[in-house]
Amino acid sequence: MQFAKRRSRYRGPMLAAAIALSSALPALAQGQMSIAQVDPSQLLTRQKVDVYVSVTGPHGNAVTGLRASDFSMFEGSPGGKLLPVNHFAFHEGAPANEGITFFLLVDNSGSMYEPLSGGPAGAPQQTRIEAARSAIRTFLNSVDNPADRIGVAAFNTLYRVETPPTQVRSETEAALAKIKRPSNRDAYTELYASLEAAAHDLSGWKGRKVIILLTDGENFPYYTHTGRPNPQFGKAVVSSGQAVKELIRDGVSVFPIHFGPARQDANLQSIAVSTGGRVFDARNEKELADVYLSVRKRVLAEYRLTYTPRMIPGDRREVRVDYHGPGGNASASQYYFVGTLFGPPSGPLSPLLILPFLAALLLWFLVTRLRFLDRRRDASLEVIGGGGTKGFPLAGGRTVIDFDAAKQ
């Protein structure tokens, strides 16, 4: 039994704000400039924020050889005045040098086991899921940088990590074989919930992080369409706006690939643009393999701009990058979360946080109650024993301690 996929009616209030502050794509001689990712993971340790910028030409090809003087940076509170960033470090080819974390999120709903043509079921190797496996293997074989990390997760009614990001290609390839045809209960499509879960799974990784999302349809939540709690997500129905918020919070960009005859999810474009990615469309195995290769090539050509942020109240910052180099001018903005060091926490405080404060007060009280028997300023030795405390002056250039005498 297959389940038709319908357009989700759930759009979070954060979506409009995310799009407004996201990577705008103004005309650049018919090319594009966008902020691909803002990475604040080193804010606590180095007081640095990394901003990855993508510049492409009119045919989608990456513009290389740019210089720091081709860019200007600004930062401030979202919706407020943005102040210029006077100094920033500029790196070309940073993703290639440091390695990229790719997370391949694969739609494993029932419709992925239908033929590529959309007609009646035929041989298993003609299904969309098998074409996806083959295309991903082509992608794995093309990744020649040992610093790159690749993970795989599948989603339908449930979300499941087949392998976390790893540098061992054989582990990633073996994970593809773990993706099995779902039961009827598991044939739904928790697209947005899975994106949110994937963002959480990538939150501990530093540097450039990319989700390549492969799906053949639309968000189709289990609870919405059955009235029963999802076995994994319960009654929670994640909106596209919620997913975008978590992706931005964890510094992850999404490159969705629509692969199938069904209608594309209405929010894929906004998810991609809001997180610094781009939507692709593929109709067969070759086109799908080409898309995976194109995404990696695009990310490898990005520029990294590193700067020290200002101390501004609030838990969010907006960063804007202006381009004024070959081909014309462009501007792009993105917001990011700074956590508790540079502003108040973004969530409610736990009552347990008061325990370290109380422990510090208790320690201070105990220290103030200490009393020393001998307050002389000259050097001396105090020996504490069962009969009380005895003091021995330390004088001369040489002092010998006789423990037998001390006991008397």
Side-chain angles (χ1 to χ4, degrees):
M1 177 179 180
Q2 303 296 331
F3 295 88
K5 299 181 180 180
R6 305 173 188 172
R7 177 176 302 176
S8 172
R9 297 170 295 150
Y10 300 88
R11 303 190 183 187
M14 290 296 299
L15 183 58
I19 296 174
L21 293 173
S22 68
S23 303
L25 302 177
L28 176 65
Q30 298 182 347
Q32 297 177 345
M33 193 275 285
S34 64
I35 294 178
Q37 177 185 327
V38 180
D39 178 18
S41 63
Q42 300 186 79
L43 194 56
L44 291 175
T45 57
R46 295 176 52 233
Q47 287 77 57
K48 300 292 183 182
V49 172
D50 292 329
V51 180
Y52 294 87
V53 177
S54 173
V55 181
T56 57
H59 301 293
N61 54 304
V63 178
T64 59
L66 298 178
R67 301 168 299 175
S69 57
D70 296 324
F71 299 91
S72 299
M73 296 188 68
F74 302 84
E75 187 203 38
S77 299
K81 182 180 179 180
L82 301 184
L83 301 176
V85 175
N86 296 323
H87 303 286
F88 60 86
F90 180 81
H91 305 273
E92 182 178 8
N97 296 329
E98 301 167 356
I100 307 165
T101 301
F102 290 102
F103 204 49
L104 312 182
L105 188 54
V106 181
D107 188 338
N108 190 40
S109 58
S111 57
M112 284 291 291
Y113 291 82
E114 296 175 355
L116 284 170
S117 61
Q125 62 269 23
Q126 297 176 347
T127 60
R128 281 191 285 278
I129 192 66
E130 290 305 321
R133 275 193 247 264
S134 180
I136 292 173
R137 291 190 186 100
T138 300
F139 172 71
L140 294 177
N141 292 332
S142 72
V143 179
D144 54 1
N145 187 351
D148 286 348
R149 303 155 294 273
I150 306 175
V152 176
F155 68 97
N156 39 54
T157 299
L158 309 175
Y159 166 82
R160 174 176 171 172
V161 177
E162 306 297 350
T163 181
T166 174
Q167 295 173 317
V168 182
R169 302 292 179 260
S170 59
E171 292 181 4
T172 307
E173 185 167 354
L176 297 175
K178 298 179 183 178
I179 302 176
K180 303 296 184 181
R181 184 167 189 155
S183 64
N184 289 343
R185 187 196 69 167
D186 294 334
Y188 291 78
T189 310
E190 294 282 0
L191 177 58
Y192 305 151
S194 297
L195 277 173
E196 183 182 58
H200 289 313
D201 287 335
L202 291 176
S203 61
W205 295 86
K206 296 181 180 180
R208 189 68 177 96
K209 298 181 288 189
V210 176
I211 291 177
I212 303 181
L213 167 66
L214 173 65
T215 181
D216 69 341
E218 301 175 278
N219 187 56
F220 196 70
Y222 181 86
Y223 177 67
T224 301
H225 298 284
T226 67
R228 300 187 299 272
N230 182 295
Q232 185 175 16
F233 304 112
K235 295 182 180 180
V237 178
V238 178
S239 68
S240 61
Q242 288 174 293
V244 164
K245 181 179 178 180
E246 292 307 315
L247 289 161
I248 293 176
R249 183 187 300 277
D250 296 317
V252 185
S253 57
V254 181
F255 290 83
I257 308 172
H258 179 247
F259 185 53
R263 183 171 53 185
Q264 176 180 303
D265 187 275
N267 293 311
L268 282 188
Q269 179 68 23
S270 61
I271 291 172
V273 172
S274 299
T275 61
R278 175 190 167 190
V279 176
F280 292 86
D281 190 82
R283 293 168 292 180
N284 54 54
E285 179 184 321
K286 184 182 183 305
E287 290 184 358
L288 184 59
D290 288 343
V291 169
Y292 278 100
L293 299 177
S294 177
V295 170
R296 181 170 181 265
K297 184 177 180 181
R298 178 188 178 103
V299 176
L300 285 172
E302 292 172 353
Y303 300 90
R304 190 187 70 196
L305 284 59
T306 304
Y307 74 102
T308 300
R310 289 182 170 86
M311 298 288 287
I312 304 173
D315 66 341
R316 289 197 301 164
R317 301 284 182 277
E318 180 182 355
V319 58
R320 191 184 84 212
V321 177
D322 290 351
Y323 173 77
H324 36 77
N329 301 318
S331 180
S333 298
Q334 179 63 282
Y335 73 85
Y336 68 95
F337 293 88
V338 299
T340 58
L341 179 65
F342 283 69
S346 56
L349 292 175
S350 169
L352 296 178
L353 292 177
I354 198 174
L355 294 180
F357 177 72
L358 294 177
L361 284 179
L362 178 61
L363 180 61
W364 173 81
F365 175 77
L366 293 176
V367 170
T368 59
R369 306 305 297 172
L370 291 177
R371 296 291 185 269
F372 296 95
L373 297 179
D374 194 341
R375 297 180 178 275
R376 295 177 298 178
R377 295 179 179 273
D378 56 329
S380 63
L381 171 69
E382 291 186 357
V383 179
I384 302 175
T389 302
K390 292 184 178 182
F392 299 90
L394 301 179
R398 181 179 180 186
T399 300
V400 178
I401 299 176
D402 186 342
F403 285 97
D404 291 333
K407 294 179 181 179
Q408 297 176 1

